[in-house]
Amino acid sequence: MKPIDPLVNRVLDGELPPEVLTPAQRAELARLDRVATLLAEVPPASVANRVMAEVRRPLPGVVERLVRWFGERHTVTISVRPAWSLAVAAVLAALAIIPGRAPAPVLGSQEGIAQFVGRFPGAKSVEVVGSFTDWRPGAVVLRDDDHDGVWRAAVVLPVGQHEYMFVVDGEQWVTDPLAGRFVDDGFGRQNSLLIVRPVSR
Amino acid sequence: MNAAARLALIGLFAVGALQGQEPRTRLAGRVPPAALSALDSIVLLADHEGIPTEPLIQKALEGGAKGAPPATIVAAVGESASQLRSALALLRQGGESQPSSAAEVTAVAAALARGVSPDQVGNLSAVLPGEPTGPALHAVADLVGHGFTEDSSVDLIVEAARQGLRGLRLLDVAAAAVLELQRGQNRAIAFARVRDMLPNVPPPPRPAPATVSKARRLTPPTQRP
């Protein structure tokens, strides 16, 4: 800010007459007079009222302020560490890729659970083929998750009797020795006979 | 012949043709083509006699899946038809007032195939009039399969039925006797112990919740490629 000339200041204070000033100093004195006049003016009543009304208005409620906040534009700054970001991304990807456990089947009154267990060490694949699959392979595949040679599967089947055999490595037909019930299959082997009971007894 | 009669005749022919086509459609591509005509004849004849045809189609599909030669498949299906015919005849002889269900005929045929004699089928039908005899027959077959004599097995199951056990609970009677056998009892003591238990033979364990939750529901065969 430019300081006021001391001579002009003394004229303003009434210590000296204006005639002592140079033309430039008189021009500055005139500017300062105009500013003082402007500052002495009272603002129109309408403006003052509006400003005071705005100042005295009570604060809006929390909900209104929240709505206003969400409606307004904000600058949000997020600072992240790449290591944490990668870890979170890996967890999200794993959740998306790993299949969740399917919900338990809802069993009807005429349905039961059949469990198939067979010990076939060294087998590459084991499945059950029977009357409940129309003797078509591929419908009931057994699993050996812990690689101990014991293959298992559980399926929902209609109540009643069913004939079946294990098919090992896609070609070897094997009678289930644990079935306890057997019938000649008419093709030189024996089918295992399974009697499924309703679960909802 | 008026138009309505002609329409009815055409409908009858169409239904007959469709019925005849259905087994062939299911078997085509699943059994050797050389066996198709003979299998068709067996299935159609069985259907005409009121014998369940589904077990015959299943036997043919089984033969095809196991890679059996055409003649063997036809012979096996013919043998199944004979067993079903015998089962149906036994059930009719037993004075069944209602037409026997396909499941009942199939169960009796399976019991006959497991070695239960036709006489014992008749005995059990007489004890369980108007009720499914399949589970009772399988219970007898289970016992016979573990070396119990057929007569004593039938006696035990008849006794269980007299004490109120029915249906699949009769299988528990056989299971209890087999369990006694596995515990080292001789057959006479095993039977005596089970008789003492009647009618409170233990039911089989229910599948564990974890097993139920893991169980998969199969796609119906008709929807499989």
Side-chain angles (χ1 to χ4, degrees):
Chain A
M1 195 166 79
K2 184 182 168 189
I4 298 172
D5 190 313
L7 203 56
V8 173
N9 202 17
R10 291 180 67 185
V11 170
L12 281 172
D13 289 344
E15 293 174 8
L16 293 172
E19 288 78 16
V20 299
L21 300 175
T22 63
Q25 288 172 327
R26 282 185 191 172
E28 189 185 349
L29 178 68
R31 272 199 310 273
L32 289 170
D33 272 341
R34 281 200 301 277
V35 170
T37 309
L38 274 174
L39 288 173
E41 278 179 10
V42 176
S46 61
V47 174
N49 289 345
R50 282 211 309 271
V51 171
M52 290 314 291
E54 193 68 27
V55 169
R56 289 176 187 144
R57 197 171 67 178
L59 274 174
V62 177
V63 175
E64 191 182 339
R65 275 186 286 166
L66 265 176
V67 169
R68 197 181 292 175
W69 188 86
F70 278 112
E72 289 169 354
R73 192 175 286 207
H74 299 275
T75 304
V76 180
T77 307
I78 300 173
S79 66
V80 290
R81 295 183 186 191
W84 283 109
S85 309
L86 286 173
V88 170
V91 168
L92 291 175
L95 287 174
I97 291 167
I98 296 170
R101 175 170 287 181
V106 179
L107 298 180
S109 62
Q110 290 302 303
E111 287 182 321
I113 303 284
Q115 296 181 70
F116 299 102
V117 181
R119 191 165 185 280
F120 300 104
K124 290 183 176 66
S125 72
V126 180
E127 60 183 304
V128 168
V129 180
S131 49
F132 43 85
T133 71
D134 247 4
W135 293 96
R136 202 187 285 271
V140 183
V141 178
L142 279 69
R143 295 174 59 155
D144 177 16
D145 291 334
D146 49 8
H147 307 289
D148 62 353
V150 180
W151 297 72
R152 300 165 197 274
V155 290
V156 179
L157 291 181
V159 166
Q161 65 177 47
H162 306 275
E163 291 182 30
Y164 69 95
M165 282 184 88
F166 288 129
V167 179
V168 181
D169 293 339
E171 56 184 17
Q172 192 184 351
W173 291 77
V174 180
T175 306
D176 178 2
L178 300 176
R181 298 184 182 98
F182 309 96
V183 282
D184 285 335
D185 68 352
F187 306 108
R189 300 188 185 93
Q190 281 202 314
N191 286 337
S192 303
L193 184 70
L194 169 73
I195 298 177
V196 175
R197 309 171 70 139
V199 167
S200 52
R201 275 175 271 147
Chain B
M1 188 185 289
N2 62 23
R6 274 186 208 148
L7 251 171
L9 255 182
I10 289 168
L12 272 175
F13 274 121
V15 169
L18 279 175
Q19 280 176 340
Q21 224 174 19
E22 201 264 343
R24 186 174 274 267
T25 310
R26 285 182 66 189
L27 296 177
R30 304 279 313 275
V31 298
L36 268 179
S37 293
L39 294 174
D40 254 356
S41 304
I42 297 171
V43 172
L44 287 174
L45 179 63
D47 190 43
H48 181 70
E49 292 177 60
I51 294 169
T53 55
E54 182 60 25
L56 303 178
I57 293 169
Q58 288 292 330
K59 186 53 70 181
L61 292 172
E62 181 187 348
K66 290 179 176 175
T72 310
I73 295 175
V74 172
V77 173
E79 176 61 24
S80 290
S82 293
Q83 287 171 347
L84 290 163
R85 193 173 288 118
S86 303
L88 184 62
L90 278 171
L91 287 169
R92 284 179 177 161
Q93 275 173 20
E96 291 252 322
S97 52
Q98 301 292 322
S100 305
S101 70
E104 180 69 355
V105 177
T106 308
V108 172
L112 290 172
R114 293 182 68 197
V116 180
S117 69
D119 287 347
Q120 301 297 11
V121 174
N123 289 344
L124 283 168
S125 296
V127 176
L128 301 164
E131 290 185 39
T133 48
L137 290 167
H138 277 304
V140 171
D142 286 353
L143 292 167
V144 172
H146 282 87
F148 294 97
T149 65
E150 191 182 38
D151 286 344
S152 60
S153 301
V154 171
D155 287 347
L156 181 68
I157 298 304
V158 167
E159 178 62 25
R162 288 204 175 113
Q163 295 208 30
L165 291 181
R166 290 289 186 274
L168 294 166
R169 280 289 281 152
L170 293 169
L171 293 174
D172 299 335
V173 179
V178 172
L179 186 63
E180 291 296 329
L181 208 60
Q182 287 165 346
R183 284 175 176 162
Q185 307 297 340
N186 66 37
R187 289 181 174 79
I189 292 177
F191 264 0
R193 288 199 170 186
V194 174
R195 272 181 206 281
D196 289 344
M197 281 184 215
L198 290 176
N200 299 313
V201 286
R206 294 174 70 103
T211 305
V212 176
S213 65
K214 276 185 204 161
R216 290 186 299 111
R217 190 178 288 283
L218 299 180
T219 312
T222 49
Q223 291 175 20
R224 283 183 214 128

